[in-house]
Amino acid sequence: MKYAKISVKSANKAPFFIGSQVRGALGYALKKVVCVNYKYKCAECFAQNSCLYYDFYEQKNTYHDYRLDYELGADMYDFSVLLFEKACDKAPYLISALYLMLSEFGLGKERSKHEHFNMSLNDTPCLISGKITLPKIFSQDIKIEGFCTDVSVEFVTPLRIKKDNVFVKDDKIELKDIINSIYNRQMRILGRRDKRFAYEIKGEITSKDLRFLDLRRYSNRQQTAMNMGGIIGKIELCGLNKECYEVLKLGEILGAGKQTAFGLGKIKVKGNNDE
């Protein structure tokens, strides 16, 4: 798989949970960048099938080819937008939208603009002297190296996984839930549907240090508060096979569970040989 990572760092003070705020503001800016309909309305627009904004924000019941990446409670804005597969080619549009979002439209209720911020694409600076400068290659391959049978998995932002139409609670989470969630996301992004994990899910959860974190966001579209809560904390695993280890490491890039576009489902995997 290919991915592109657009990273943003700003000196402005950030709220505890930036996911809903950044995604909403980015959508507004992205529509300004790409929309070719003078009415700015998506309904019955002739360009729906080729519109990046429509694909990222209006398509329903789909796995989006991007996600936000950040940590809760950071003092300042420090986040990334990860693009996958064909979406990598759209990196210039996202970078332009992020620049507008920060410098002209602002964030939060006060629409605070950001005067001092940096942007990079795959760790290469793309904002030099206030001007956007892009590298020739936008994407990079996801590379998973090494193998550990015993690992810890940290759920950095709330993990929301449904099983039997019910969100899994902290005491009910199983390895197969995490593996299947990441693998299904990979298959959907690659355009392959209804593919079962072809290998044995081998590994045991030896300890859990988990809790449910309640997060909410207000939806302007639906005029209501929406629940974004999920599991955070850490689990210890032993006896993993290589295939499961590789899927977990892939989850560090793709995310796991639902609402990854808002930055939920961020995981970190640390092997027993890692420092």
Side-chain angles (χ1 to χ4, degrees), residues 221-239:
R221 178 175 297 182
Q222 300 185 37
Q223 296 293 301
T224 186
M226 303 186 70
N227 185 15
M228 303 284 282
I231 300 168
I232 63 170
K234 185 181 293 186
I235 61 174
E236 300 289 338
L237 296 165
C238 73

Side-chain angles (χ1 to χ4, degrees), residues 5-8 22 25-35 52 56-57 79 81 83 87-106 114 117-121 125-128 130-135 138:
K5 183 178 182 180
I6 306 169
S7 300
V8 175
V22 170
L26 177 59
Y28 179 81
L30 184 62
K31 194 171 188 178
K32 293 292 184 182
V33 169
V34 304
C35 185
L52 182 61
F56 275 20
Y57 283 86
F79 65 92
V81 180
L83 308 174
C88 296
D89 296 335
K90 308 300 183 181
Y93 297 103
L94 270 300
I95 290 170
S96 296
L98 286 165
Y99 181 82
L100 285 177
M101 178 187 81
L102 295 168
S103 64
E104 294 189 24
F105 301 147
H114 296 235
F117 61 90
N118 297 316
M119 283 198 294
S120 63
L121 176 58
C126 58
L127 189 61
I128 301 174
K131 295 184 179 180
I132 295 174
T133 303
L134 297 175
F138 302 149

Side-chain angles (χ1 to χ4, degrees), residues 14-29 57 66-72 77 79-80 98 101 106-109 111 157-158 215-222 224-229 259-264:
F16 176 79
F17 171 52
I18 67 172
S20 181
Q21 181 190 96
V22 170
R23 183 179 182 273
L26 177 59
Y28 179 81
Y57 283 86
Y66 78 100
R67 76 174 183 91
L68 292 182
D69 185 89
Y70 55 84
E71 296 195 7
L72 298 170
Y77 285 90
F79 65 92
S80 299
L98 286 165
M101 178 187 81
L107 286 167
K109 292 181 180 179
R111 296 292 185 264
T157 59
L215 285 181
R216 293 181 180 274
R217 76 176 184 95
Y218 186 80
S219 171
N220 288 322
R221 178 175 297 182
Q222 300 185 37
T224 186
M226 303 186 70
N227 185 15
M228 303 284 282
Q259 279 92 40
T260 58
F262 289 89
L264 303 189

Side-chain angles (χ1 to χ4, degrees), residues 143-153 175 179 182 197 199-203 237 239-252 267-274:
K143 296 180 180 179
I144 299 172
E145 300 175 349
F147 167 50
C148 293
T149 59
D150 303 342
V151 303
S152 64
V153 180
L175 175 60
I179 295 293
I182 298 168
F197 190 56
Y199 305 95
E200 178 186 6
I201 297 179
K202 185 176 180 181
L237 296 165
L240 287 175
N241 53 3
K242 185 176 182 181
E243 292 81 12
C244 287
Y245 173 82
E246 289 177 346
V247 171
L248 290 173
K249 292 297 289 184
L250 181 64
E252 290 186 310
I267 70 172
K268 290 183 179 179
V269 181
K270 184 177 180 180
N272 54 5
N273 296 325
D274 297 340

